[in-house]
């Protein structure tokens, strides 16, 4: 398999799939440039080699040609970031675009309009993929956040480049780091899972039960597990239809020798709001009129120790309603413990929109071994599923 570091791009046209699905405000200004910034090392490598880049991306979920989802909005920032000439093709395919591709010079970038303006993109249409493939000499996929989709430009297109396809530097780092955690972890290996609902995390929990030594649970899903064990969790978030599943998780964990940590105590409130009344209770004795909002202080200490004792840590999902400052302590304590574990030499990886938002809020992002930029794709990877964006490059099934 090609590694981008070893590939010479001089005088080649590289067809690069990125994920520039960035948030825009009402004036169509970018409010968070992280995803564009993350593509810079790959752009630099190709341009510095003396190649040119044809960028393909989606933005939003347009139905047809929707000007509010135009990639034109990111053009000024891309020019500023790269400092090279960036041309824009108002349609991702067609005669005019072909002419622009033909005229493209080394060290120039051609940004194509949103590929999702064509439904052939999400349909994974082979003819559409082939048309785009004809524009480049080499295909580079740097869009890890869409790697779980079998779309025309994220997976199907790779088949037209049997010998000249590779991951971009961002995607390669994602795949390498996730592989390290999921397939070759140093032990003890601890997974920390939080967030609102157990139903959205059950596949990852089941896969992790075959791989980890410890699972630490926080967030809303914690209460479903406590209720399944017979506890009173008041009006905390509970998925009653998942109680049997939660019991099965505990049984499998026991069989597999995986220790499951659930919260011993909980910070509760009388309503869902930052300035609500706060009281701490044992998690299985929450009064009927109170709801669990965050893990409690004893739990924080317990979780901290388990994290510090781990050689590998995977974290997805907040420990409580961290968006409210009064209920963000548990998430902060866990983030801080993971940061300490990193300092002590453990390999630590976090991912998922809310965990990353929390880590950024606490200004701890530099203190993790790796932070994944992707939510859905990372979860599916950790569920043990094969991702079309990866297998189309590696030729594995
Ligand atoms: P997820 O998208 O499943 O990872 O869930 C993230 C969301 O879970 C965040 O918006 C948190 O506010 C929310 N959350 C965490 N703990 C709780 C809780 N105890 N009750 C309700 N929501 C929670």
């Amino acid at each position: 398999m090609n590694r981008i570091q070893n590939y010479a791009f001089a005088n080649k046209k590289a067809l690069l799939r990125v994920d520039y699905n960035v948030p825009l405000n009402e004036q169509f200004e970018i409010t968070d440039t992280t995803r564009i910034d993350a593509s810079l090392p790959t752009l630099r490598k190709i341009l510095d080699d003396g190649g040119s880049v044809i960028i393909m991306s989606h933005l939003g979920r347009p139905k047809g040609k929707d000007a509010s989802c135009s990639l034109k909005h990111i053009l000024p920032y891309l020019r500023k970031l790269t400092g090279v000439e960036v041309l824009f093709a108002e349609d991702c395919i067609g005669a005019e675009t072909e002419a622009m591709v033909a005229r493209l010079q080394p060290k120039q970038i051609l940004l194509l309009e949103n590929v999702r303006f064509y439904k052939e993109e999400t349909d994974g249409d082979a003819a559409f993929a082939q048309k785009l493939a004809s524009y480049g000499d080499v295909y580079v996929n740097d869009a890890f956040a869409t790697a779980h989709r079998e779309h025309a430009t994220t997976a199907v297109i790779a088949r037209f480049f049997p010998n000249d396809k590779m991951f971009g530097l961002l995607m390669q780092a994602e795949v390498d780091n996730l592989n390290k955690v999921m397939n070759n972890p140093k032990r003890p290996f601890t997974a920390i899972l939080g967030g609102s609902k157990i139903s959205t995390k059950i596949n990852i929990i089941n896969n992790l039960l075959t791989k980890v030594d410890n699972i630490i649970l926080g967030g809303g899903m914690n209460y479903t597990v406590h209720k399944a064990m017979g506890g009173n969790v008041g009006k905390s978030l509970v998925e009653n239809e998942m109680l049997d599943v939660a019991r099965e998780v505990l049984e499998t964990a026991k069989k597999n020798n995986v220790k499951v940590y659930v919260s011993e105590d909980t910070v509760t409130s009388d309503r869902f709001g930052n300035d609500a009344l706060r009281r701490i209770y044992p998690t299985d004795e929450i009064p009927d009129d109170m709801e669990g909002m965050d893990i409690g202080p004893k739990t924080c200490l317990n979780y901290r120790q388990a994290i510090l004792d781990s050689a590998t840590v995977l974290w997805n999902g907040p420990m409580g309603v961290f968006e409210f400052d009064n209920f963000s302590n548990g998430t902060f304590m866990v983030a801080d413990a993971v940061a300490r574990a990193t300092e002590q030499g453990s390999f630590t990886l976090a991912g998922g929109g809310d965990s990353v938002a929390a880590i950024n809020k606490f200004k701890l992002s530099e203190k993790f071994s790796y932070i994944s930029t992707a939510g859905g794709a990372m979860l599916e990877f950790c569920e043990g599923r094969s991702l079309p964006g990866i297998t189309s490059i590696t030729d594995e099934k």
Side-chain angles (χ1 to χ4, degrees), residues 22 53 109 138-139 173 205 231 234-235 324 328 348 359 368 380 382:
V22 289
V53 191
I109 295 176
V138 38
Y139 170 65
I205 293 176
K235 51 179 190 157
F324 296 146
S328 66
T348 60
I359 293 164
F368 282 64
E380 287 199 19
C382 295

Side-chain angles (χ1 to χ4, degrees), residues 72-83:
K72 203 180 253 177
H73 303 307
I74 66 129
L75 198 51
Y77 183 72
L78 191 58
R79 286 185 174 136
K80 193 171 117 198
L81 181 75
T82 57

Side-chain angles (χ1 to χ4, degrees), residues 195-197 200-201 219-220 223 237 272 292-293 318 320-323 354:
S196 52
K197 293 181 174 173
T200 62
K201 305 276 164 86
Y223 306 108
L237 186 66
F272 194 82
M293 298 286 277
V321 188
F322 77 100
E323 295 94 335
D354 285 304

Side-chain angles (χ1 to χ4, degrees), residues 118-188:
Y118 288 84
K119 81 180 223 332
E120 286 84 345
E121 165 64 359
T122 45
D123 287 349
D125 184 90
F128 178 70
Q130 188 167 18
K131 178 121 241 114
L132 284 155
S134 71
Y135 298 164
D137 304 306
V138 38
Y139 170 65
V140 182
N141 189 353
D142 216 11
F144 183 69
T146 39
H148 54 320
R149 309 270 183 229
E150 190 154 15
H151 292 172
T153 64
T154 61
V156 178
I157 197 168
R159 75 172 74 139
F160 301 105
F161 298 90
N163 302 312
D164 296 283
K165 57 182 176 178
M166 67 203 76
F167 297 137
L169 290 163
L170 170 68
M171 179 126 164
Q172 189 177 286
E174 294 275 2
V175 174
D176 287 351
N177 283 297
L178 282 164
N179 263 327
K180 190 165 167 179
V181 168
M182 295 302 290
N183 299 322
N184 196 15
K186 286 215 179 90
R187 299 195 174 272

